Amino acid sequence: MSEGRIPSRASANGLDKVVAAETALSSVDGEAGRLVIAGYDLEELVATHDFEAATALLWRVAGREPAPSADSLRAQLGEARVMAFRLVPHLLASTKGLTVTEGLRAGLALLSDDGDLAPEIRAVGAVPVFVAALCRREKGEPAVAPVPHHGHAADFLRMLRGEPASAAEIDALNAYLVTVTDHGMNASTFTARVIASTRAGMISSVVGALCALKGPLHGGAPGPVLDMLDAIGTRDNIAPWLKREIAKGERLMGFGHRVYKVRDPRADVFNKAVTLLTNGNERVLFARDVERGALAALREAKPDQRLDTNMEYYTAVLLEALGIPRSAVTAVFCLSRVAGWTAHVMEQERVGRLIRPQSVYVGEWPNDEAAA
Ligand code: CMC
């Protein structure tokens, strides 16, 4: 696109429809509501892979050498969790007063670019350890050490609660983690690739990606979704509350997507997982009623927009059912998405070309040039 000839300021500023990379990691079809990850349709991937197997698959597709198997990765991630736990006292001492996501950002920045284990393994292994310790600190409880031979999802829930989770809970968390491992050129993945393209390395790319994930327009929406459910409170209040918020110009969290113009397929995976886990309890039924109300309210208020449920809506309900504190939902998103980020960094490093786009200057020109 030549300078000055841009379709609209909004789409230029948002890089809408701009292709920024070739990737073999995932494909998002926003019109069909289809997500393919490393050759698998989402539902098939979730049915056949746990988090370690999905991560090993992404890294193999990204061309990592040596290509990991799910079992070798399981062992290495256990080792990485143990290593990360040694940093926990320092992390907790240096992040007093910070939120869980801010603490995680600091924790990832503590990781060295060099070490015995590859940086991608150390990064993926560190996230559950740091998130669990930071969550427990919020309740005034001491950190719980990892058990290296446990699965990643099971060990996270155990470190978080101080006691083992049930098989159903571990399955539900694995369904969540596998589903959100990768999702095309979303803002945090793009950030990771931009940083990787400067050859700053894996850890810097992951830290930068988390910074992008943190915002409410990307990974920060589930907390506000739960706030919305609480604020609505009763079924009688659904329609008036939603109408009032939309009239004030507020966005309904968990709805709308830059790419999906139909329902986000990940929302269905989470809806199914939370229904299985809770046997469709009152909170889930209420969330479904609010969803129906929100879709109707958005259709009425914004008939020209194609706004549907995105994955953050049922992420919120699922993670709440798993006992994940509201303050930690974005950090738990990172627990999974770090697998995709690291795979994209590997892909980008193989491309080897600096990402350096151009901008359109809309400021003042020096007087003599304006007059000319
Ligand atoms: N509630 C109310 N109105 C909305 C919403 C919403 N959730 N989303 C978009 N709109 C309206 C927006 O106000 C605008 O209307 P108008 O033209 O009348 O001003 C129109 O739809 C287009 O909005 P946009 O900002 O140009 O659309 P976008 O492609 O930049 O938006 C989005 C994508 C996710 C930022 C947006 O839908 C949003 O803010 N949603 C709420 C936050 C949320 O759920 N975030 C999680 C995203 S999914 C996780 C992920 O994949 O990262």
Side-chain angles (χ1 to χ4, degrees):
M1 192 182 300
S2 65
E3 288 204 0
R5 292 178 57 235
I6 52 176
S8 79
R9 181 168 292 178
S11 61
N13 285 339
L15 300 184
D16 303 24
K17 299 191 172 78
V18 171
V19 173
E22 288 185 341
T23 181
L25 294 168
S26 62
S27 160
V28 183
D29 183 339
E31 288 296 333
R34 184 180 187 196
L35 170 59
V36 170
I37 301 179
Y40 287 79
D41 264 312
L42 175 61
E43 296 236 342
E44 191 194 353
L45 185 76
V46 172
T48 52
H49 290 65
D50 64 5
F51 174 71
E52 288 91 324
T55 305
L57 172 69
L58 286 169
W59 288 0
R60 279 201 301 279
V61 168
R64 184 179 187 271
E65 295 289 348
S69 68
D71 286 340
S72 66
L73 187 57
R74 211 178 306 284
Q76 287 179 310
L77 287 178
E79 207 182 319
R81 291 196 300 275
V82 172
M83 283 174 60
F85 191 70
R86 293 191 200 118
L87 295 173
V88 164
H90 179 46
L91 171 69
L92 296 180
S94 57
T95 57
K96 288 198 177 103
L98 299 191
T99 65
V100 175
T101 308
E102 290 165 343
L104 177 61
R105 183 178 63 190
L108 288 172
L110 288 175
L111 301 178
S112 158
D113 284 327
D114 301 311
D116 291 342
L117 282 175
E120 57 272 22
I121 294 174
R122 285 183 286 114
V124 174
V127 179
V129 175
F130 294 162
V131 175
L134 290 160
C135 287
R136 287 180 69 81
R137 194 242 319 256
E138 283 194 330
K139 293 189 292 173
E141 291 170 349
V144 172
V147 175
H149 63 269
H150 280 185
H152 211 59
D155 210 21
F156 169 64
L157 288 174
R158 201 192 50 79
M159 288 186 284
L160 182 71
R161 298 169 177 181
E163 58 185 27
S166 70
E169 289 170 322
I170 295 165
D171 286 350
L173 183 59
N174 264 310
Y176 169 77
L177 296 176
V178 171
T179 299
V180 299
T181 43
D182 199 45
H183 197 245
M185 200 45 49
N186 59 84
S188 57
T189 298
F190 182 51
T191 305
R193 287 191 80 125
V194 171
I195 296 171
S197 83
T198 72
R199 304 192 184 166
M202 184 63 78
I203 300 299
S204 300
S205 304
V206 166
V207 172
L210 173 60
C211 294
L213 183 75
K214 179 174 173 286
L217 299 193
H218 187 7
V225 168
L226 296 174
D227 295 340
M228 173 174 76
L229 294 181
D230 290 349
I232 294 174
T234 64
R235 284 182 169 77
D236 290 347
N237 197 25
I238 293 177
W241 192 94
L242 293 168
K243 205 171 169 174
R244 218 170 34 244
E245 289 300 299
I246 296 175
K248 279 195 287 177
E250 296 293 338
R251 288 179 177 222
L252 302 183
M253 292 293 131
F255 297 90
H257 200 276
R258 175 66 59 81
V259 182
Y260 290 119
K261 298 305 164 201
V262 296
R263 193 178 163 82
D264 183 334
R266 300 169 296 176
D268 288 328
V269 174
F270 299 157
N271 191 353
K272 196 165 134 193
V274 75
T275 305
L276 271 176
L277 184 66
T278 63
N279 208 9
N281 69 11
E282 172 51 27
R283 182 71 158 172
V284 176
L285 297 178
F286 182 66
R288 287 210 195 115
D289 287 345
V290 172
E291 180 193 13
R292 270 192 288 276
L295 292 175
L298 287 169
R299 260 195 306 274
E300 193 188 325
K302 305 203 174 241
D304 299 335
Q305 302 293 337
R306 295 170 64 195
L307 300 171
D308 214 317
T309 315
N310 67 47
M311 71 112 174
E312 298 285 34
Y313 190 77
Y314 282 104
T315 290
V317 187
L318 174 61
L319 295 187
E320 182 183 65
L322 280 168
I324 309 287
R326 201 168 292 196
S327 56
V329 282
T330 306
V332 172
F333 189 171
C334 173
L335 211 139
S336 164
R337 186 55 64 81
V338 66
W341 295 335
T342 48
H344 277 273
V345 169
M346 293 168 202
E347 258 192 351
Q348 187 63 44
E349 285 177 344
R350 279 171 7 127
V351 172
R353 185 155 175 84
L354 176 72
I355 297 175
R356 202 306 186 185
Q358 296 208 14
S359 50
V360 177
Y361 180 66
V362 295
E364 298 290 328
W365 290 96
N367 283 340
D368 49 344
E369 284 182 50

